[in-house]
Amino acid sequence: MNINRRTSVHSLFALTAAALLPMGVLAAAEAPDALIKRLSTDVLVTIKADPVLKAGDLGKINALVDQVVLPHVNFRRMTSAAVGPKWRQATPAQQERLQNEFKHLLMRTYSGALAQVTDQSVVVKPLRMAAGDTDVLVRTEVRGKGEPVPLDFRLEKKPEGWKVYNFNVMGVWLVETYRTQFAEELNKSGIDGLINTLASRSAMPAKAASAQ
């Protein structure tokens, strides 16, 4: 993967992490593809209009995530899937730490990539969904300079609306990527070892964390 391609992957994960701007009742009534289209459009406009966010300011990114992203993400499911079977062996306190440290790691890893957002647009592809489906794949394509980049979302239907629980950029699923990394640490140092590793990586400068 060349440098420009790798930058596109980081930018799109960052874009996804910051994109899920909620509108409460509207989100609960929206179809999953319409939700993704609206959120993707909103985040592009938001990043371009906010120099601080575009510069990758961690404080502002974390505030954005806490206030407007998490309502549209099943982050507990995302974290438990990344940790794998050992998630069930963790205490509630450990699960909370894992969830928080994973979120912090993602924000630090991809914060610098927000500065790469320039002229991108998102095209949502036709949704394949049967009546009554509660788990769907929304396929999109991010267009800008260079080749279009596929960006797919896995969503589940909850009483309050559709929630994202995984992303795929250029064939790479976020959760599965981290599951492989986490398994090595879990086998070596256990749950507390993984928590400590995530905390130490979250404390690194953004570029260093993204290289891990």
Side-chain angles (χ1 to χ4, degrees), residues 85-133:
K86 291 188 181 295
W87 172 263
R88 294 188 294 272
Q89 301 174 19
T91 66
Q94 287 174 322
Q95 290 178 352
E96 185 69 19
R97 281 289 310 280
L98 284 167
Q99 188 168 311
N100 289 336
E101 296 299 346
F102 187 32
K103 183 191 73 172
H104 293 155
L105 174 63
L106 291 178
M107 292 304 97
R108 180 167 288 275
T109 298
Y110 297 111
S111 61
L114 290 173
Q116 303 300 320
V117 173
T118 55
D119 62 347
Q120 290 91 341
S121 62
V122 176
V123 176
V124 178
K125 296 185 176 182
L127 178 65
R128 298 177 180 177
M129 176 182 174
D133 281 353

Side-chain angles (χ1 to χ4, degrees), residues 44-207:
L44 289 172
V45 172
T46 301
I47 292 175
K48 292 174 184 178
D50 189 334
V52 177
L53 182 60
K54 189 175 186 296
D57 181 87
L58 280 175
K60 190 154 190 176
I61 291 171
N62 281 323
L64 178 67
V65 170
D66 289 335
Q67 294 169 16
V68 300
V69 173
L70 293 186
H72 288 284
V73 177
N74 187 338
F75 208 81
R76 182 178 177 85
R77 175 173 178 173
M78 186 180 293
T79 307
S80 65
V83 173
K86 291 188 181 295
W87 172 263
R88 294 188 294 272
Q89 301 174 19
T91 66
Q94 287 174 322
Q95 290 178 352
E96 185 69 19
R97 281 289 310 280
L98 284 167
Q99 188 168 311
N100 289 336
E101 296 299 346
F102 187 32
K103 183 191 73 172
H104 293 155
L105 174 63
L106 291 178
M107 292 304 97
R108 180 167 288 275
T109 298
Y110 297 111
S111 61
L114 290 173
Q116 303 300 320
V117 173
T118 55
D119 62 347
Q120 290 91 341
S121 62
V122 176
V123 176
V124 178
K125 296 185 176 182
L127 178 65
R128 298 177 180 177
M129 176 182 174
D133 281 353
T134 58
D135 192 295
V136 300
L137 174 67
V138 175
R139 299 165 58 244
T140 76
E141 192 172 76
V142 179
R143 299 177 181 176
K145 295 180 180 179
E147 299 178 18
V149 178
L151 171 60
D152 299 338
F153 300 81
R154 276 284 179 192
L155 297 91
E156 62 176 348
K157 190 173 185 179
K158 306 294 283 185
E160 62 274 24
W162 291 92
K163 289 183 177 287
V164 174
Y165 67 87
N166 207 349
F167 328 122
N168 184 313
V169 179
M170 295 167 54
V172 178
W173 285 105
L174 180 89
V175 167
E176 283 70 16
T177 297
Y178 279 102
R179 182 185 297 156
T180 300
Q181 297 179 26
F182 291 178
E184 296 177 3
E185 186 63 37
L186 286 165
N187 290 334
K188 181 175 64 176
S189 305
I191 294 168
D192 285 332
L194 176 59
I195 291 172
N196 292 335
T197 296
L198 291 176
S200 64
R201 287 175 61 182
S202 296
M204 294 178 180
K207 290 184 179 179

